[in-house]
Amino acid sequence: MRGSGLRVDGPLTRRLPPGVREYAAWTPHAVTTLAGLFAMALASTSGGGSGTLSLVPGFLALLPVLLTLVRPAGAFWFSLAATPFAAVIGESWSAWPWPPGAFVSHLVVLTVVALRTGPRTAAWMWVLTAFYGMAAETLFGAGHYGTDSVALLFLAALALLAVTVLHIRRAAEREVTAQQSVTAHERSKRTLLEERTTIARELHDVVAHHMSVVAIQAEAAPYRVENPPPELEAAFATIRENAVAALTELRRVLGVVRAEDYEAPDAPQPTLADLEALLANVRDAGLSVEKVVTGAVRELPQGVELSAYRIVQEALSNTLRHAPGATARVEIGYVLGGLGLRMVNGPAPVTNLVKSTHGAGHGITGMRERVTMLDGEMTTGGTDDGGYEVTVFLPVPVPEEAA
């Protein structure tokens, strides 16, 4: 069994207060019970018999409907089995083989059971109902003024068709929701992998540059000293050989992350010294931004400088996308043991009702990936005035001579 199938969390019930919503959860049970009571009343008023026996058709119409709340399949079989008894006790000659109470009761049972099971079960129930109706009309229909099997089957077919459409729609909604969740997850993973690939490329360029410098300096160093001892020449040769080997291995391992059409940038990778050009471009795009630097400015490892630049760049890009027209502030703090960054923007002056379609929507993921790579810390969140804030700390080892 699949559960109720009647939704109580739709667009209307979601707007109800929590207390009323709890009672709304019993709406399917209440509607089913009212339908059963209606069938019972119809059976009691239209049936024949006398005394206690006259109450039997009413209960035979009510009980199958109530049974659908706990045993849907059993309710169908009970309704089908109770119908001939209700027909005999009711002594109705104008409606055969479905007395009025049994007619309504069985129609309600078919609809509720179809809601709680599925289209295939509903089709089998309709076929069995049709078989019973034809058998009852053929074998015991003589002497009755009319038959109501065709009317019941027609109404049941309409009800089961509506229920089947409802099942198909819900299944499609579930499939779409699941597909959207998978798509969002895959998009997030793809964005993360792309960001890691970008970081690997940048690290490759940074490390390859430094290793190349080491190899060139090691090769040229002996020529800067007049009559260098053989031990010194051998040491420099060993340094150069190790640097070239490391550079070759680095290109072999990290070169796989480059696209076929990727070319290493001719210009040096950006650092915090290039922030003024970045801020100028952002201001030209319409964002009012100021920069505040605290602490003693010093040169940091190139990986830290590059990651800090990219983090500030992504934070300002997010501000342009999600809070156009807002003001922003970039704070850079040089502290002992690390570098602190704080990018904060105010609320957009006009609410943007149209969601931006630029970017993949995972800029925070890329920033966090860079911070994690450097064993740093990062916090994000909204501000009291409706803006947004990104705070980052990137640890920088203290040089031994300064310790």
Side-chain angles (χ1 to χ4, degrees):
M1 295 301 170
R2 299 183 182 180
S4 175
L6 293 177
R7 297 182 60 181
V8 297
D9 58 345
L12 295 179
T13 54
R14 281 199 298 265
R15 299 178 181 178
L16 297 175
V20 180
R21 195 180 308 150
E22 295 178 2
Y23 293 101
W26 294 94
T27 301
H29 304 78
V31 172
T32 304
T33 303
L34 289 176
L37 292 175
F38 174 74
M40 179 181 181
L42 190 61
S44 300
T45 56
S46 60
S50 60
T52 306
L53 192 63
S54 62
L55 301 177
V56 175
F59 285 105
L60 290 179
L62 174 64
L63 293 179
V65 177
L66 297 181
L67 190 60
T68 58
L69 301 176
V70 289
R71 292 290 186 272
F76 168 76
W77 290 110
F78 184 81
S79 176
L80 201 62
T83 298
F85 292 96
V88 172
I89 296 174
E91 299 179 356
S92 175
W93 297 97
S94 60
W96 179 265
W98 306 93
F103 186 99
V104 175
S105 175
H106 196 70
L107 185 60
V108 173
V109 169
L110 285 175
T111 304
V112 175
V113 175
L115 282 170
R116 299 197 60 186
T117 54
R120 180 175 298 180
T121 304
W124 278 109
M125 291 189 305
W126 190 90
V127 171
L128 291 174
T129 300
F131 178 79
Y132 166 77
M134 289 186 296
E137 290 179 6
T138 303
L139 299 177
F140 307 103
H144 293 277
Y145 298 120
T147 175
D148 51 6
S149 291
V150 175
L152 176 65
L153 293 175
F154 176 74
L155 294 177
L158 292 180
L160 297 183
L161 178 61
V163 171
T164 301
V165 172
L166 181 62
H167 276 295
I168 294 175
R169 178 181 176 182
R170 291 182 180 177
E173 289 177 351
R174 288 193 296 268
E175 184 177 355
V176 170
T177 302
Q179 187 62 36
Q180 288 176 345
S181 300
V182 172
T183 302
H185 180 67
E186 292 297 330
R187 186 186 301 115
S188 179
K189 288 177 59 178
R190 184 173 65 251
T191 303
L192 183 61
L193 291 176
E194 290 175 353
E195 187 62 31
R196 288 182 176 179
T197 301
T198 302
I199 294 173
R201 289 173 178 172
E202 293 174 348
L203 286 178
H204 176 275
D205 297 334
V206 171
V207 177
H209 169 72
H210 287 292
M211 294 301 295
S212 299
V213 172
V214 170
I216 294 173
Q217 290 181 344
E219 185 177 6
Y223 298 100
R224 298 183 179 182
V225 180
E226 186 177 357
N227 298 324
E231 295 82 0
L232 183 60
E233 291 183 355
F236 279 119
T238 301
I239 293 174
R240 181 184 180 280
E241 291 175 359
N242 289 331
V244 172
L247 183 59
T248 303
E249 187 68 16
L250 178 67
R251 287 174 175 168
R252 183 184 68 82
V253 175
L254 294 183
V256 296
V257 303
R258 295 188 181 277
E260 294 181 359
D261 57 348
Y262 177 80
E263 295 181 1
D266 297 331
Q269 295 288 358
T271 63
L272 291 176
D274 302 312
L275 272 183
E276 286 300 334
L278 173 63
L279 298 181
N281 291 334
V282 172
R283 293 188 184 103
D284 292 339
L287 180 65
S288 177
V289 57
E290 62 173 331
K291 183 183 74 169
V292 178
V293 180
T294 59
V297 178
R298 65 184 185 275
E299 185 177 356
L300 301 175
Q302 189 170 357
V304 175
E305 294 262 358
L306 175 60
S307 294
Y309 180 91
R310 296 300 189 197
I311 291 171
V312 174
Q313 184 182 42
E314 183 60 38
L316 295 178
S317 298
N318 286 342
T319 302
L320 284 172
R321 285 194 296 265
H322 305 294
T327 58
R329 179 183 176 92
V330 177
E331 299 177 5
I332 304 174
Y334 291 86
V335 297
L336 184 63
L339 175 71
L341 300 173
R342 180 175 180 265
M343 289 70 66
V344 59
N345 63 268
V350 179
T351 303
N352 188 12
L353 299 180
V354 180
K355 185 177 180 181
S356 174
T357 57
H358 300 287
H362 297 282
I364 297 296
T365 302
M367 289 191 286
R368 198 176 300 279
E369 189 69 16
R370 291 181 179 274
V371 173
T372 302
M373 178 190 66
L374 297 174
D375 294 329
E377 298 177 0
M378 173 177 168
T379 58
T380 61
T383 59
D384 295 336
D385 61 353
Y388 200 78
E389 177 181 358
V390 178
T391 305
V392 174
F393 177 76
L394 302 177
V396 179
V398 180
E400 296 182 358
E401 59 271 14

